[in-house]
Amino acid sequence: MSTENELFSAVDALLEQVAQDDLPVPAERKRLREAAGLSQAQIAKALDARREAVGNWETGRTEPRPPKRAAYARLLEGLAARFPAPAADAPATAPAPVVPESFTGPAPEPTSAPEPAAVPPSRPKAAASSTARPAASSRRPGAKKAVAKKTTAAAAVDPRFENGPLAVIDCEDGQVSAYCVGGLVLDVPAKSIPALVDWTLTEAKLGQARLHRNGRDADPILVLTPAALERYGLPVALSDEERHASRLPDSHKVVKQIGKAGLQLTQRGFGPWARVYREPEGSRRRCVQLCILSWNALDTREWGKKDDPQLLLTMHPADLARYLGLYAARVMTPRGSTATTGLELMVALRPPTRAEKDPATGEFKRAFNDDALTARYDVVECEVPDEHPVLKDRFARHHLRTPAEMLMEEPYDWCRPLTDEECANQFLVAVDINMSFAAAANGLTVGLNRPTHLTGNPKFDASLPGSWLVDLSHVDLSHVRINGRTVDGDRLPSPFTPKGDRPDGPAWYATPTVAYAVELGFDVAPIEAHVRTQTGRYLDSWYKRLRDAYVETMADMGVTTDLTGQEFLDAMARRKQVDPTMALLETAIKATAKGGIGKLRQRSRGQVPYYEEYPALKRETWRPDIRAAVLANQRVGLHRKLMKTAAAADLYPTSIGTDAIVYPSPGPSPLDVLPHTPEGKPAPGTFRLGVSPGMVKHQGTQTVLWAEQQFEERGGVFNISNLIKTDQSAGEGE
């Protein structure tokens, strides 16, 4: 028989359940707190809750649960008695009622005097969390989610993926939580990795809609923190043997659990980026990616900070979800390294296939898109790296191929001694081109089909992308006229070689390099060529998405496209202090652009012996000719600006490293050296300060005396361009 106290407790519980909807609307909760002059922290302390929980209650993201709910309701009731809501003036004309999109009947007539209603907040933008841990959501599996009505902007979110593309899974005090974009936190009921995967597929509403109508939706990603690994029986760190194999052994209990649950792993197994999936349901994929931070899934050189390798492991889960969620929204859902993601972005924006209806049968079949890379073709010997199988038995084992045997299109690595006149300047100022490889890809015509071999001294055609064997040793740039002025070409690097040396005979060049020789007014006579006749601007949409992501991220840090001169330099100098998370995002976007281009000619990295096939060669996107064209376009575009700068101001660089250019300067700022018109605008065709890709920023300043000391210590002239940095943690290029 139950005691009186037990009966009263049961009745109290029923009363609490009856009063579940007695709380004021979220906006009113916030108004009452602010009217009383209370902070969220004060209320949280009184209710023995977290401050973030109170914030979630006030935005409608979550609802308080018993026993805190009754205490919170009593607090709000007392505040409402002391701070009643101000009377709202009745509108002169009643607003039209909101009609749901699914409503198909006649619109209801507006009433003459509707009651004023608080406008519920829309889904909040991602914001940095505090150092305290946000409270877990009150949402339970299978329970209806209590959310505010969506605004027009939020309504565009795909309802299948309303919680964002990814979640950071963390565990504290035995409670597993999923931190999503927008500050949303979900309770995770799963007790094992298979249950976690099934929860993600059925309830989490994670993922990202396709970027192209012929593409495919991105799989949801779960980022597992070290605490989550321990909770699910996974090691926080891999052993030496596991690290070498980059996966857990098949005998591990979690791998066995996955198999017993009817789930599958890809051939890569359970590693830093594990794909766990069930067989598709029709056309719907059922795959979840697990990103394991402490197994180095996110390389700190790309995603973090070089001087703080533990940053990603120590970030609050909400901050990490914000960071990666913004990357997914602006670029795409991460697929591994930034280089891999950059390459996958090309495919996502230019899918190789589409569904096409057969007019005879009425059924849909696969068709290829003309603007995409759709097949693997025979490679060209001069375009492939040294370890490629096609070169087997072609050269001696340690033979170094010459420019006449190998297409050597690479960025600049050039320097020269300073003249006596230049040593009279006090400073060396280094400027760096924003997103230089991405900018070089913009508008570039590349080949999309198999190569065609042209022999017998073919005529050069700048509209045909490919590789040309041509002798450019006769091109003399020592005294070239640009815009009516003579330029001292001996103080500039040659545009035809990465080291800036003048060619000494026939060599293989990509189409942009040969086209630049023609642009300078010199005759070219190719000996042979490998060209592609089906062409397109394959990388345009890729460039535009990365450009928009970069410009938007920089704007979030206060560096906007309308800033000029000293305003831009000041904003760049303080940007990382404005929002450290956005600074990480900036680095990741730049690494995506640079790595994506490099991935077009991925090398074996010692994975297999020389001349043996390696996995990258099986991709349709393994296209070293496209990489060569981008790098050639970047180098000749840089040289074009060097020439125009020299013509406009008799100004010559002393060293160039990839996209960093060093000029002697009387002052420490780029404004002291970059040429301007009498009206104060940048000289046409020269380097311009700005945030857009292709424009330049200040990389750093050193003194001429410092450079001379470096030369003396190292026994000669060497490339100092990448040593002149304001931020020593920054990487080379981009």
Side-chain angles (χ1 to χ4, degrees):
M1 171 115 18
S2 300
T3 65
E4 182 177 329
N5 289 335
E6 290 174 341
L7 292 174
F8 282 175
S9 297
V11 170
D12 289 341
L14 284 176
L15 289 174
E16 282 192 1
Q17 292 179 17
V18 172
Q20 287 295 302
D21 297 324
D22 286 346
L23 290 176
V25 296
E28 177 66 5
R29 302 170 197 174
K30 181 179 180 181
R31 186 197 71 79
L32 290 171
R33 177 181 59 77
E34 292 179 342
L38 298 174
S39 67
Q40 291 180 349
Q42 287 175 298
I43 294 179
K45 183 177 180 180
L47 298 178
D48 193 22
R50 297 185 180 90
R51 185 196 62 79
E52 289 81 5
V54 178
N56 287 340
W57 300 343
E58 291 183 354
T59 59
R61 279 180 247 163
T62 63
E63 291 292 314
R65 292 180 288 185
K68 293 181 177 64
R69 185 182 184 90
Y72 187 48
R74 182 173 181 178
L75 170 65
L76 295 176
E77 183 180 356
L79 293 178
R82 298 182 59 180
F83 305 100
D89 295 332
T93 304
V98 177
V99 181
E101 294 180 1
S102 59
F103 183 77
T104 56
E109 296 182 1
T111 59
S112 57
E115 294 183 4
V119 179
S122 61
R123 188 185 187 92
K125 292 182 180 179
S129 73
S130 69
T131 55
R133 179 186 180 93
S137 167
S138 63
R139 184 180 176 193
R140 294 178 177 83
K144 185 176 180 180
K145 185 179 179 183
V147 294
K149 294 180 180 179
K150 295 182 179 180
T151 61
T152 304
V157 176
D158 192 317
R160 298 172 301 163
F161 313 125
E162 66 177 63
N163 292 333
L166 52 84
V168 178
I169 307 298
D170 193 32
C171 180
E172 184 177 4
D173 299 330
Q175 173 62 50
V176 181
S177 302
Y179 291 80
C180 307
V181 297
L184 177 67
V185 186
L186 303 176
D187 282 342
V188 180
K191 305 299 183 183
S192 65
I193 289 294
L196 178 64
V197 171
D198 286 335
W199 173 83
T200 304
L201 293 173
T202 57
E203 296 186 42
K205 293 189 176 182
L206 295 173
Q208 186 177 41
R210 62 197 69 185
L211 299 181
H212 188 283
R213 62 189 181 91
N214 293 325
R216 72 182 189 191
D217 299 330
D219 299 326
I221 289 183
L222 302 180
V223 182
L224 303 183
T225 65
L229 294 179
E230 293 181 348
R231 173 65 181 80
Y232 288 118
L234 291 165
V236 173
L238 296 176
S239 66
D240 292 342
E241 184 178 351
E242 292 167 346
R243 191 182 306 110
H244 180 74
S246 193
R247 60 191 293 172
L248 290 178
D250 294 340
S251 58
H252 193 279
K253 64 177 182 179
V254 172
V255 178
K256 290 182 177 180
Q257 288 174 359
I258 291 172
K260 290 179 180 179
L263 293 163
Q264 301 180 57
L265 290 165
T266 59
Q267 290 183 352
R268 292 191 175 186
F270 202 107
W273 283 89
R275 288 179 180 265
V276 189
Y277 66 96
R278 292 193 182 277
E279 291 296 330
E281 286 184 346
S283 61
R284 187 173 74 90
R285 286 167 56 89
R286 295 192 296 169
C287 179
V288 176
Q289 288 193 67
L290 303 180
C291 170
I292 303 178
L293 290 178
S294 59
W295 297 3
N296 199 34
L298 298 178
D299 193 323
T300 188
R301 295 170 298 179
E302 303 168 347
W303 299 98
K305 294 175 65 176
K306 290 182 178 179
D307 56 353
D308 187 3
Q310 298 297 312
L311 175 64
L312 297 177
L313 294 175
T314 57
M315 281 182 71
H316 190 281
D319 291 331
L320 189 59
R322 178 195 179 217
Y323 169 32
L324 298 178
L326 281 172
Y327 180 90
R330 296 178 182 181
V331 181
M332 71 179 299
T333 304
R335 301 292 179 86
S337 67
T338 53
T340 298
T341 306
L343 191 70
E344 289 291 327
L345 180 62
M346 297 179 194
V347 178
L349 295 171
R350 300 280 194 191
T353 60
R354 67 183 188 278
E356 186 176 75
K357 193 172 184 179
D358 188 337
T361 63
E363 296 181 354
F364 284 92
K365 61 180 182 179
R366 187 178 70 164
F368 292 101
N369 293 317
D370 294 335
D371 62 351
L373 302 177
T374 58
R376 294 173 57 199
Y377 299 110
D378 293 336
V379 297
V380 176
E381 183 179 295
C382 69
E383 295 174 349
V384 302
D386 293 334
E387 67 272 17
H388 196 279
V390 76
L391 299 179
K392 189 174 184 178
D393 301 326
R394 180 69 177 81
F395 301 104
R397 176 65 176 82
H398 297 288
H399 173 75
L400 295 178
R401 288 192 288 167
T402 66
E405 298 168 335
M406 180 182 182
L407 180 64
M408 295 184 180
E409 295 286 13
E410 300 292 339
Y412 272 128
D413 180 11
W414 169 84
C415 62
R416 65 171 176 82
L418 278 70
T419 65
D420 292 341
E421 182 181 357
E422 290 169 340
C423 287
N425 291 285
Q426 184 179 356
F427 299 100
L428 293 175
V429 174
V431 294
D432 178 80
I433 301 175
N434 300 321
M435 303 274 285
S436 64
F437 296 145
N442 182 33
L444 180 65
T445 299
V446 301
L448 301 176
N449 64 340
R450 68 178 65 255
T452 299
H453 190 195
L454 305 179
T455 57
N457 300 318
K459 183 179 179 181
F460 175 69
D461 186 346
S463 66
L464 293 178
S467 304
W468 303 80
L469 181 62
V470 58
D471 189 349
L472 298 179
S473 60
H474 65 285
V475 177
D476 184 4
L477 300 179
S478 58
H479 293 86
V480 178
R481 294 187 66 81
I482 300 292
N483 298 333
R485 298 186 62 177
T486 301
V487 173
D488 183 4
D490 289 338
R491 294 163 67 186
L492 291 173
S494 167
F496 309 124
T497 62
K499 291 293 185 181
D501 303 326
R502 184 170 173 174
D504 57 5
W508 286 101
Y509 301 101
T511 298
T513 302
V514 185
Y516 186 56
V518 175
E519 177 186 326
L520 293 173
F522 296 92
D523 295 329
V524 296
I527 302 169
E528 62 176 305
H530 296 274
V531 299
R532 281 81 178 171
T533 55
Q534 179 187 341
T535 64
R537 291 165 60 161
Y538 175 73
L539 296 171
D540 273 12
S541 56
W542 179 83
Y543 160 75
K544 290 175 182 176
R545 186 160 180 88
L546 289 173
R547 175 203 62 194
D548 293 346
Y550 178 73
V551 171
E552 185 178 358
T553 300
M554 297 300 286
D556 287 339
M557 293 186 285
V559 187
T560 57
T561 55
D562 59 345
L563 298 180
T564 58
Q566 191 61 46
E567 290 179 336
F568 169 74
L569 295 175
D570 292 342
M572 286 294 294
R574 63 173 177 265
R575 72 188 191 284
K576 294 187 178 182
Q577 285 70 45
V578 171
D579 192 333
T581 300
M582 288 298 170
L584 294 178
L585 186 57
E586 174 199 351
T587 301
I589 292 171
K590 293 192 294 185
T592 302
K594 183 178 181 180
I597 296 299
K599 203 78 170 175
L600 291 167
R601 196 198 68 161
Q602 181 178 342
R603 305 190 67 168
S604 71
R605 300 177 183 174
Q607 296 168 341
V608 295
Y610 258 45
Y611 311 128
E612 295 294 332
E613 186 117 345
Y614 51 95
L617 302 182
K618 299 178 181 179
R619 298 194 313 250
E620 292 84 356
T621 51
W622 194 84
R623 289 293 300 272
D625 59 297
I626 296 180
R627 173 190 177 272
V630 173
L631 268 59
N633 205 37
Q634 186 266 353
R635 195 182 64 251
V636 301
L638 173 55
H639 191 274
R640 189 180 290 112
K641 290 189 176 183
L642 294 175
M643 297 278 278
K644 292 185 177 181
T645 301
D650 194 31
L651 187 64
Y652 297 87
T654 63
S655 60
I656 304 173
T658 306
D659 50 15
I661 307 100
V662 178
Y663 280 109
S665 171
S669 169
L671 297 175
D672 297 320
V673 63
L674 296 181
H676 289 75
T677 64
E679 295 77 21
K681 296 182 178 181
T686 64
F687 298 105
R688 298 184 59 183
L689 287 172
V691 70
S692 298
M695 301 175 79
V696 300
K697 58 182 177 292
H698 185 204
Q699 177 172 282
T701 298
Q702 283 288 0
T703 63
V704 171
L705 178 60
W706 170 87
E708 294 296 339
Q709 290 174 341
Q710 296 294 317
F711 296 155
E712 182 177 347
E713 290 175 3
R714 307 197 184 210
V717 177
F718 73 105
N719 196 338
I720 60 174
S721 58
N722 287 311
L723 296 179
I724 304 177
K725 295 179 181 178
T726 300
D727 180 7
Q728 293 299 325
S729 66
E732 294 185 15
E734 286 298 289

